[in-house]
Amino acid sequence: MNKRAIFALPAAVALTTGVVAGCSGSGGGSHSGSKAPSGSSSTQRTGPAPAESNPPGDIPDNQVYVAYRPPAGGFTVKVPEGWARSSTHGTTTFSDKLNKVEVAQSSTGTAPTVQSVKAGMVPALRKQATHFALGGVTTVHRKAGEAVRITYRTDSAPNQVTGKSVRDSVERYVFFHNGRQVVLTLTGPTGADNVDPWRIVSDSLRWQ
C-alpha cells in the first residue's frame, strides 16, 4: 500500500462515521416530535363542578327555628333563628333578605270563616297590597287547630338601594282560640321553594 492510500483511509472512516451519526440523529428527531399518547391529553381534565344555584329567597334546609312568645303571651310560634326583628302597630316582623314572617294578635268574639275573611280581610288587602292578585281562601288544618288561609301575590316594597321591587307570594293564616285571633303572614319571592319552611312555621303555633 502506498502512502497516499494510507492517508486517505482515516478521512473515509470519518466520513462514514458522520453519515451514520446523522442517520441516527434523524431517527431520534422523528420520535421526539411525535404526539403524546391520547391518554395524557389535557382535554380529559375537568374543572370543579359548578356551584349549586338556588332561586332567590330559598330558605336553607338547615335553617334553625326558635320559639317566639309575644310580651302579652297567649301563644308561641317558631320563627327562623337569626332573622332581624322589628315591631310596629301591633305586628312583629322577622325578616331576612327577601323573606319575612309577620305575627299579629288581637281580640275578637267570633271565629273567622272563609266567608268572613273574603268579606273583610281580602278587600283590605286589595287596598293595601301593590298589584294584589288573590290566589284563594280556604280552610286548612294545623296543629293549633283549623285556620283560614289566604294566598295571594303582590309587589314587594322597593329596594332601598336599587329602587326595584320583586313579585312576592304570600300565605296568610288566621287562627282563633278563646276570643283571641292570631294572624300569621309568610312572605317570599314568587318561585322560591319555601313550602317546607312555611309549613314548619304555620304548624308550630301553640296556644297558652
Side-chain angles (χ1 to χ4, degrees):
M1 183 179 296
N2 58 35
K3 292 182 179 180
R4 184 175 295 176
I6 293 174
F7 288 126
L9 181 60
V13 173
L15 179 60
T16 304
T17 303
V19 171
V20 173
C23 293
S24 175
S26 175
S30 64
H31 288 297
S32 63
S34 63
K35 295 182 179 180
S38 60
S40 62
S41 173
S42 62
T43 58
Q44 293 186 352
R45 297 177 183 175
T46 57
E52 183 179 354
S53 177
N54 294 325
D58 265 14
I59 299 173
D61 293 338
N62 60 353
Q63 174 67 55
V64 177
Y65 299 82
V66 295
Y68 163 72
R69 183 177 183 274
F75 70 96
T76 62
V77 64
K78 288 184 178 180
V79 297
E81 184 180 40
W83 286 20
R85 174 179 167 180
S86 61
S87 296
T88 180
H89 305 301
T91 298
T92 301
T93 302
F94 301 86
S95 60
D96 178 69
K97 299 174 184 176
L98 301 176
N99 296 299
K100 62 181 178 180
V101 174
E102 296 173 281
V103 186
Q105 179 178 204
S106 61
S107 299
T108 180
T110 306
T113 64
V114 170
Q115 290 73 23
S116 68
V117 168
K118 283 183 176 180
M121 194 170 289
V122 170
L125 288 171
R126 195 180 299 276
K127 291 180 180 180
Q128 299 168 3
T130 305
H131 297 144
F132 176 86
L134 180 65
V137 182
T138 59
T139 299
V140 296
H141 184 76
R142 291 294 185 264
K143 292 182 179 178
E146 287 192 346
V148 177
R149 181 177 67 179
I150 313 167
T151 59
Y152 62 94
R153 291 185 178 182
T154 182
D155 291 348
S156 70
N159 183 282
Q160 294 182 354
V161 177
T162 65
K164 295 182 179 180
S165 298
V166 299
R167 194 63 173 164
D168 281 338
S169 292
V170 186
E171 296 181 16
R172 171 170 286 200
Y173 295 83
V174 186
F175 293 92
F176 176 84
H177 179 72
N178 290 342
R180 289 174 297 176
Q181 178 174 283
V182 172
V183 178
L184 185 62
T185 307
L186 314 175
T187 305
T190 298
D193 184 12
N194 288 334
V195 174
D196 291 340
W198 289 163
R199 182 61 186 248
I200 290 173
V201 174
S202 63
D203 220 16
S204 70
L205 183 72
R206 298 291 184 274
W207 299 107
Q208 293 183 335

